[in-house]
Amino acid sequence: MARRALTTTAATLTVTAALLLTACGGGGDKSSDDIKGADAGSSPSASASTSTPSGSERPDITIPSSFQLTFENWTSSDPDEQAVLNDGKEQLRAGYAAIIENKPDGGEALAFYDTEAGLSQDREWIKSYTGKNVTVIGELPVFDPQATLFAKKTKAQLRYCTDESKAQTKNRKTGEVVGNPAGTDPQVAYVVTMQKNEQGVWQTVSTNSKRGGCS
């Protein structure tokens, strides 16, 4: 019920597709529901969250108010680091939007923010929800971001944490709402590997997650 905590195998993320919504990656405990989302079939409303980072031709991404995906202290005084934070944020939003909109292929926005390898991984994560006919609802704070650039600022690593305490999945047909099992650590740490493409977009290559990895 958190961010798309995609691990190398989608199964690691969510056994029943509930909270984790991190990008694909390695690690991450199994939980009966690892995704936070919004009502199935719900369309963006005036209260929906829309964000477009500065830059060229970034896609618009809208998330319904039924899923509150918030980014705390998502800023850096370094413009290069801020660029990584901006695109990393939108990539995560694109993944959740795909789950909410029931798009197993991830949609155009996610393809914009993912490399080919990253998109393949994220599709596995998204299908762990769409394949079970569930969406995400509730609240998912994303916090403690740390961006590190290397390889002459062409590659980067983005770390952050999520708190799934108030995130759930909702069955599109039955309306059943499911959260993480009792006793599950709600905080999940993510490590996202990124690279800058020729258009200057920081794309996700892979994502690893670890439940309980936040301090």
Side-chain angles (χ1 to χ4, degrees):
M1 293 184 168
R3 178 206 179 209
R4 57 177 190 173
L6 294 178
T7 59
T8 303
T9 58
T12 311
L13 272 186
T14 60
V15 175
T16 62
L19 297 177
L20 291 180
L21 172 53
T22 319
C24 306
D29 296 344
K30 293 181 179 180
S31 64
S32 94
D33 282 307
D34 278 325
I35 214 180
K36 287 193 171 188
D39 296 329
S42 57
S43 59
S45 63
S47 59
S49 170
T50 303
S51 175
T52 304
S54 59
S56 60
E57 302 302 326
R58 258 62 171 183
D60 289 330
I61 301 168
T62 301
I63 295 179
S65 58
S66 51
F67 181 60
Q68 298 294 323
L69 182 62
T70 61
F71 296 81
E72 302 176 5
N73 300 318
W74 208 258
T75 59
S76 172
S77 59
D78 184 297
D80 292 316
E81 292 180 1
Q82 188 62 55
V84 172
L85 293 178
N86 289 344
D87 286 347
K89 170 184 177 180
E90 294 306 298
Q91 189 264 359
L92 180 56
R93 295 182 73 253
Y96 274 117
I99 291 174
I100 294 168
E101 295 170 13
N102 199 23
K103 294 182 176 179
D105 67 353
E108 294 182 2
L110 188 59
F112 181 89
Y113 287 109
D114 273 352
T115 61
E116 183 176 347
L119 184 58
S120 175
Q121 203 173 26
D122 282 341
R123 282 173 173 169
E124 290 296 317
W125 164 64
I126 292 169
K127 289 176 182 177
S128 70
Y129 296 96
T130 60
K132 296 178 177 63
N133 202 29
V134 299
T135 183
V136 290
I137 59 173
E139 301 174 18
L140 184 64
V142 188
F143 57 96
D144 285 349
Q146 180 181 359
T148 304
L149 288 83
F150 51 96
K152 296 183 179 180
K153 298 183 179 181
T154 61
K155 298 183 184 299
Q157 184 179 81
L158 174 61
R159 294 174 177 268
Y160 60 83
C161 287
T162 63
D163 186 341
E164 302 176 349
S165 299
K166 297 181 180 180
Q168 304 91 30
T169 58
K170 181 177 180 179
N171 188 284
R172 298 175 188 274
K173 182 177 181 179
T174 67
E176 179 184 10
V177 175
V178 179
N180 278 334
T184 301
D185 192 323
Q187 294 195 346
V188 182
Y190 292 94
V191 179
V192 183
T193 300
M194 306 172 72
Q195 67 181 34
K196 183 186 289 188
N197 67 12
E198 294 180 354
Q199 289 70 45
V201 179
W202 283 100
Q203 294 183 306
T204 291
V205 178
S206 65
T207 304
N208 290 276
S209 64
K210 181 179 181 181
R211 185 170 294 282
C214 301
S215 57

